[in-house]
Amino acid sequence: MIPAPRRSATPTPRADDTVRDEVVLAGRNDRPARTTRPLVRRFDALPYVLVAPVAIFIVGLAIVPALFTIIESFFTVDELNPPTRFAGLGNFVQLLHNHAVTNSAVNTALYVVVGVTLSTVLGMAMAVLLQRPFRGRGLVIAILILPWALPGVVEGILWSGIFDPNAGLINSLIATFHLGAGDGVLLGQNRLLTVGLIGLVQVWQMTPLSTLLIFAALQLIPEELYEAAVVDGANQWRRFTAITLPLARPGIAVAMVQALIATLNIFDQPYVLNGAASTGSSVTMETYFVSFQNLNFGQGYALSLVVALVTVALSLLVVRFIYRKVEL
Amino acid sequence: MTTRRSRAAWQGAAGLTAVALLTAACSSGGGGTPAATGGSTQTSGVTITVALPTDPPPQADLDAFTKATGIKVTWSSSDWDSLQTKISAAATANTYFADVTNVDWSRVGQLGKLGWFLPLETYLDANSLKSDMPQLASFTLDGHIVGVPYDSSYMVTTVNTELFAKAGITTMPTTIDEYTNDLKQIKDKGVVQYPLNIPFAAAEGLSTYWYETTQAFGGTVLDAKGKPQFTDPSSPGYKAAQWMVDAVKNGLVPPGNINVNDSQGEQTLMAQGQAASTFSDYSGLINSLYNVTDSSTVSGKIQYLATPGVNGPASNLSNPDGMGIPKQAKYPQAAAKFIDWFVSASTQEDFSGLNGQDKVWGSSFIPSRLSVVQKLAQAGSLADGERLAGMLKTASPVFPDGAPTWYPTFSNAVYTNLHAAATGSMSVADAIKAISDVANQQAGNS
């Protein structure tokens, strides 16, 4: 039997009690030293001071601009038509009547569907493939991450060489293998094809991160669960649906949210690959055109606000329906 | 053991570090933000920032300037689009960004109205510039010089003489009808499948191509009040749009060109001998691309062609690059000295290679001074130089009265709708109507 620990008459002070005790005793040197903990904790400024620079940066570079955007979106801020004046919902109404904006909203919705779906499915598949240790797994993961590390513009330029209708890789292969004339138009002719191909480029970039996020979740699943399932006679598919998928939900949710944010804000890939053409333009591109080509910042703020609100709303939906807290 | 004093010292140090970090991060890195207007009149011993969408000239050139004036130069290169965004963002936020930066001809109206750039006639000898720079008009608004052209890019027609000869064409076309028939002949004889290069990607290059073609058909795009001049099917602008779209439909232009921009078309079609001609090409490309054997298979085969017009050669479209002084410049006087030096005849001769190869500036295709272009042509340093110098004399701006303030919006409408017409998703008539609606709306608002 293990004896219960005895309460010491003079408890050993903890390291962090030292200063506190000193504070308590300040000015009371005539009294015997107290070793009990004070009822009121002394305010410790150090953590706040250390966090302050980052906090100020976040407030200055995120919170303040966000508030500024919200407020200014209700004003006419047009450099070519001053002064700034209250517009109510005027900016939002004008954007609704702007065909380029509504067209880009449809394109962006397609980018979201293609990007979030494919990057999540492929990320899940790759994470499952990487789940079991094998020789060279670290190298595979390192190579896998490369597309994610590339800037969007670089990707766009890289893929423009692949999609180029006159000298691109795809048409060259088609011609080489006599599968066609090799002068097929890949981008710009048709909205669905254009958005689909540009979406694939973004999937190529996003999938590594999705894979890593889901892979991290899979690494937390105890091997015993799979062993028990095997003993119970569960086949691979059953083990996947009953163990892997449910327990990977936190990782899947985070992967979906990051894909959602990336696809809703897609800019580099369509801009580099397809220019300003309506077949592939995104809402973020229109925000750029409205703000920095037309210098109508009020409408630019309004469009940015709409994108931000949609991003938050859809992210909350993903968290609500996909995310589940897992305790192992 | 941590004592109270040492903890206080920690907190103080952390606080100081925080403040120092914030100060360092938030400072402009150049001694603070100057006042919105005015700026130092100091010229000697200062460092100015020059932000242009090109690589810097050789250090020897910049060193020579510093030696002569005492002004040091920090060169900041970025792509054209990013630079335009930076100019707008800095001017809107009323903050310093550069002492000298790009002034594109297409934004002169906008920049002039907004007053974002200092009037250069107060800093430079305007009369002297006008006499030797035919394209200065493109940078002048209401009598104020917003920028000075440092490169005299203008649109020209280029032809692959070998491909024309293979089709049996020995006399070069002088009218648009002859030109079109020659292209058909090249296609019909199977010399190349798609003889004409038109970059139909929805980008600025497509708008420029249409302006040049409109000029070749004998007209302009907008009048002095910004009203569209291309809505009538018999108007030059309408005919130009129809001609361009028909060229795709009739198989003169590769179908894939709907997603090819101007530089792609030059590099993958013209420079590889895949296309026989570009109607609206950039002056100087024979020197900088087509005759460069590393990137071209048509060296020595491309020549400039006086732009085929309705009844004979038409004028060429100015497309120059300029530089100006933002209002927030720290050292406007020093910046003016730099511009004065940069566009001087002697510097442009250096950049062009007339005074040796160590001072040649690769980005400077054609000097903006007519006198230097003529010297280059006489020296034989410019491929097809005599013809090029002749065309510079007749180069004229898209908007003789200055680009409208809403030009970027208009251009966006031009290239997106002409692109859509080329893809077949809308007719030429609908594209023209959509473009003119934007022009009318914008002209009405301004």
Side-chain angles (χ1 to χ4, degrees), chain A residues 30-328:
Chain A
D30 52 334
R31 292 187 180 184
R34 287 173 55 187
T35 53
T36 54
R37 305 180 87 190
L39 293 176
V40 180
R41 286 182 60 137
R42 179 180 172 276
F43 175 72
D44 191 353
L46 183 61
Y48 299 97
V49 171
L50 292 174
V51 168
V54 175
I56 292 171
F57 268 119
I58 291 172
V59 169
L61 297 179
I63 308 293
V64 170
L67 289 174
F68 187 79
T69 300
I70 293 169
I71 294 166
E72 294 283 281
S73 64
F74 296 101
F75 284 81
T76 297
V77 188
D78 187 345
E79 288 292 322
L80 295 169
N81 185 17
T84 298
R85 54 201 179 273
F86 185 68
L89 294 173
N91 288 329
F92 298 92
V93 173
Q94 285 174 21
L95 289 171
L96 268 179
H97 289 96
N98 184 334
H99 175 69
V101 171
T102 51
N103 174 73
S104 69
V106 175
N107 290 344
T108 305
L110 292 171
Y111 285 125
V112 170
V113 172
V114 172
V116 175
T117 307
L118 285 182
S119 68
T120 307
V121 171
L122 290 173
M124 185 75 208
M126 289 187 192
V128 169
L129 287 174
L130 292 169
Q131 191 177 7
R132 302 275 176 267
F134 58 87
R135 186 187 290 269
R137 186 172 70 165
L139 184 66
V140 171
I141 292 172
I143 293 170
L144 189 73
I145 206 78
L146 282 178
W148 179 57
L150 283 177
V153 173
V154 175
E155 266 182 62
I157 294 168
L158 177 73
W159 281 85
S160 65
I162 295 172
F163 290 145
D164 188 292
N166 296 313
L169 178 68
I170 293 179
N171 276 327
S172 299
L173 288 175
I174 288 171
T176 303
F177 293 106
H178 305 291
L179 299 172
D183 59 357
V185 179
L186 298 165
L187 295 172
Q189 184 84 49
N190 172 289
R191 173 191 283 201
L192 284 178
L193 182 62
T194 303
V195 170
L197 289 174
I198 295 172
L200 282 181
V201 174
Q202 205 188 22
V203 167
W204 179 75
Q205 186 191 30
M206 290 188 307
T207 301
L209 182 58
S210 299
T211 303
L212 288 186
L213 290 168
I214 299 170
F215 174 70
L218 296 188
Q219 292 303 293
L220 298 175
I221 302 175
E223 190 58 33
E224 292 80 7
L225 288 179
Y226 290 106
E227 291 167 3
V230 171
V231 171
D232 290 343
N235 61 18
Q236 274 199 331
W237 177 247
R238 181 75 181 130
R239 294 200 295 273
F240 175 73
T241 55
I243 300 172
T244 308
L245 207 50
L247 296 181
R249 283 176 78 158
I252 294 172
V254 176
M256 287 181 74
V257 168
Q258 69 87 19
L260 194 62
I261 293 169
T263 49
L264 274 170
N265 290 283
I266 187 170
F267 181 95
D268 300 338
Q269 294 89 347
Y271 192 65
V272 174
L273 287 167
N274 199 44
S278 59
T279 42
S281 62
S282 67
V283 173
T284 316
M285 280 170 61
E286 289 303 326
T287 308
Y288 170 76
F289 293 143
V290 166
S291 302
F292 290 105
Q293 275 196 351
N294 305 352
L295 300 179
N296 192 332
F297 291 105
Q299 287 191 15
Y301 292 133
L303 203 46
S304 301
L305 183 61
V306 170
V307 173
L309 290 176
V310 171
T311 306
V312 170
L314 291 180
S315 299
L316 287 175
L317 281 178
V318 170
V319 172
R320 170 76 182 77
F321 290 105
I322 305 295
Y323 181 80
R324 288 290 180 275
K325 194 173 180 183
V326 172
E327 290 181 2
L328 296 169

Side-chain angles (χ1 to χ4, degrees), chain A residues 18-19 22-23 26 42-47 49-50 52-53 56-57 79-82 160-161 163-167 183-189 271-279 286 288-289 291-295 297, chain B residues 1-4 7 10-11 14-15 18 21-22 25-26 81-82 84-85 88-89 92 107 110 113-114 116 193-194 202-203 254-260 264 268-269 405-406 408-409 412 415-416 419-420 422-425:
Chain A
T18 310
V19 175
E22 283 180 4
V23 171
R42 179 180 172 276
F43 175 72
D44 191 353
L46 183 61
V49 171
L50 292 174
I56 292 171
F57 268 119
E79 288 292 322
L80 295 169
N81 185 17
S160 65
F163 290 145
D164 188 292
N166 296 313
D183 59 357
V185 179
L186 298 165
L187 295 172
Q189 184 84 49
Y271 192 65
V272 174
L273 287 167
N274 199 44
S278 59
T279 42
E286 289 303 326
Y288 170 76
F289 293 143
S291 302
F292 290 105
Q293 275 196 351
N294 305 352
L295 300 179
F297 291 105
Chain B
M1 188 171 92
T2 311
T3 64
R4 188 180 173 206
R7 173 158 286 226
W10 255 101
Q11 290 181 355
L21 281 170
L22 275 175
C26 296
D81 287 309
S82 303
Q84 303 312 312
T85 306
S88 299
T92 309
R107 294 195 73 194
Q110 203 178 58
K113 180 180 176 182
L114 292 165
W116 285 356
Q193 192 175 5
Y194 304 111
N257 266 36
I258 63 158
N259 201 36
V260 164
Q264 282 176 314
T268 62
L269 295 171
T405 56
W406 37 269
T409 310
N412 187 296
Y415 57 68
T416 50
H419 167 87
T423 64
S425 63

Side-chain angles (χ1 to χ4, degrees), chain B residues 28 30-40 90-91 93-99 116 118 326-332:
Chain B
S28 62
T33 305
T37 54
S40 173
N94 207 18
T95 55
Y96 170 75
F97 141 71
D99 297 284
W116 285 356
L118 294 173
K327 239 179 183 169
Q328 290 80 16
K330 285 180 189 172
Y331 304 108

Side-chain angles (χ1 to χ4, degrees), chain B residues 21-204:
Chain B
L21 281 170
L22 275 175
T23 308
C26 296
S27 72
S28 62
T33 305
T37 54
S40 173
T41 55
Q42 195 179 346
T43 57
S44 187
V46 302
T47 301
I48 60 169
T49 299
V50 177
L52 288 176
T54 60
D55 291 331
Q59 194 56 42
D61 291 315
L62 296 177
D63 288 346
F65 170 71
T66 302
K67 193 176 176 185
T69 61
I71 301 167
K72 289 182 181 170
V73 177
T74 301
W75 193 279
S76 169
S77 299
S78 59
D79 68 275
W80 189 89
D81 287 309
S82 303
L83 193 54
Q84 303 312 312
T85 306
K86 283 178 188 171
I87 292 168
S88 299
T92 309
N94 207 18
T95 55
Y96 170 75
F97 141 71
D99 297 284
V100 176
T101 192
N102 173 258
V103 175
D104 193 81
W105 68 264
S106 65
R107 294 195 73 194
V108 167
Q110 203 178 58
L111 299 174
K113 180 180 176 182
L114 292 165
W116 285 356
F117 280 75
L118 294 173
L120 290 178
E121 69 274 9
T122 58
Y123 295 91
L124 306 171
D125 181 358
N127 289 329
S128 151
L129 291 173
K130 276 178 197 167
S131 63
D132 202 21
M133 285 187 183
Q135 295 170 320
L136 191 66
S138 298
F139 293 86
T140 306
L141 188 77
D142 298 332
H144 296 302
I145 301 173
V146 184
V148 179
Y150 60 86
D151 176 282
S152 75
S153 169
Y154 49 99
M155 309 315 293
V156 294
T157 301
T158 49
V159 289
N160 184 321
T161 51
E162 185 182 64
L163 298 179
F164 271 65
K166 277 185 182 173
I169 303 162
T170 49
T171 307
M172 286 297 154
T174 57
T175 68
I176 193 88
D177 286 338
E178 290 173 5
Y179 179 75
T180 311
N181 289 331
D182 286 349
L183 294 174
K184 285 177 181 167
Q185 189 172 325
I186 292 169
K187 181 178 176 66
D188 292 343
K189 293 205 170 180
V191 178
V192 287
Q193 192 175 5
Y194 304 111
L196 179 59
N197 169 38
I198 301 179
F200 267 112
E204 186 67 29

